[in-house]
Amino acid sequence: MENNQIHNSAQMNPDLKLDENFWNERYKANETGWDLGQVSPPLKAYIDQLENKDLRILIPGCGNSYEAEYLLEKGFKNITVIDIAPEPVNRLRTKFQSDPNIKILLGDFFTHKAEYDLILEQTFFCALDPKLRENYVEAMKSLLVKGGKLVGVLFNKQFGLQRPPFGGTDAEYRLLFGEGFEFKTFEPCYNSFPKRAESEVFIILGKK
């Protein structure tokens, strides 16, 4: 696939570095406008219908990870979260220090090696430099077992920004994920958090 077919709708400011320091400073300054303060309603609804509590679950770019907390409340036993920023990771390690059912990692998602049955996407994809979107797909394919699922929400609108969040279109996403994933669900999100209403698409993508 050609890069310009995928990335032409979202371009990052070339002087901006979305690295550990960038995100860590956002958390320190409490400049976290993407943080809902609660589990994302679409993901909550999805989690509620999962029956296998032993699923190996990853949440990349976890931040404050309300989804992980909800998974623990629901009795899931094999949760891994990862973030590049030390600030939220340290908070989570303190919060869940006595819980053996969650693994909290400080590190780069793109170098992470493991196997998962389910990966939950919540504001991670839109925070990445759009040039990394193909890398994102390849990393997801390498982390998911065959038949494993990538589930979550993506923005289905353009923001016209040169910094996160970066949006996208249905056509871009179908091109980006089409080779490696089966589109089990790919539709406008009916139960978004109110401030994100009519701007999200809900995805359930199965690894081929």
Side-chain angles (χ1 to χ4, degrees):
M1 65 186 71
E2 296 294 331
N3 286 351
N4 61 359
Q5 287 182 289
I6 295 173
H7 305 311
N8 60 2
S9 68
Q11 298 292 332
M12 192 179 84
N13 180 345
D15 297 323
L16 187 65
K17 292 184 178 180
L18 299 178
D19 55 11
E20 171 190 326
N21 291 331
F22 175 89
W23 294 111
N24 211 49
E25 290 305 311
R26 302 289 81 71
Y27 281 101
K28 285 184 176 180
N30 199 30
E31 296 175 357
T32 54
W34 63 86
D35 191 306
L36 300 180
Q38 65 179 62
V39 59
S40 170
L43 286 177
K44 180 179 182 295
Y46 179 78
I47 291 167
D48 284 344
Q49 53 84 45
L50 292 176
E51 297 180 355
N52 183 0
K53 306 298 183 181
D54 294 316
L55 287 170
R56 295 167 294 178
I57 302 173
L58 173 67
I59 304 176
C62 63
N64 289 317
S65 209
Y66 306 104
E67 286 71 30
E69 184 174 11
Y70 189 68
L71 286 164
L72 291 170
E73 291 174 1
K74 298 290 287 186
F76 288 86
K77 302 174 182 177
N78 197 339
I79 304 161
T80 301
V81 300
I82 186 169
D83 204 293
I84 199 171
E87 187 73 15
V89 167
N90 290 336
R91 293 178 191 174
L92 292 175
R93 285 175 173 170
T94 298
K95 186 174 186 177
F96 299 117
Q97 58 185 323
S98 61
D99 197 321
N101 297 312
I102 184 170
K103 183 185 297 184
I104 302 161
L105 304 178
L106 174 63
D108 185 349
F109 163 79
F110 292 100
T111 61
H112 181 52
K113 304 296 181 184
E115 288 189 337
Y116 297 98
D117 304 299
L118 173 64
I119 301 179
L120 297 180
E121 166 58 52
Q122 160 62 4
T123 68
F124 179 55
F125 179 89
C126 70
L128 296 170
D129 183 337
K131 292 180 181 178
L132 294 176
R133 289 183 172 180
E134 287 186 42
N135 303 64
Y136 172 102
V137 173
E138 290 304 312
M140 290 295 177
K141 286 164 55 179
S142 71
L143 290 167
L144 285 167
V145 298
K146 186 174 182 179
K149 296 176 182 176
L150 171 60
V151 177
V153 289
L154 301 174
F155 284 116
N156 62 348
K157 64 180 291 186
Q158 302 292 355
F159 297 100
L161 303 175
Q162 287 191 300
R163 56 185 294 134
F166 298 107
T169 66
D170 289 3
E172 286 179 274
Y173 299 150
R174 289 188 182 279
L175 181 61
L176 185 64
F177 292 102
E179 292 183 8
F181 290 87
E182 176 187 356
F183 286 70
K184 296 180 178 293
T185 300
F186 186 81
E187 58 192 27
C189 194
Y190 71 89
N191 56 350
S192 294
F193 189 75
K195 69 179 181 180
R196 296 183 184 169
E198 300 182 358
S199 66
E200 292 180 319
V201 59
F202 185 71
I203 60 168
I204 301 177
L205 307 180
K207 179 182 173 181
K208 293 180 180 178

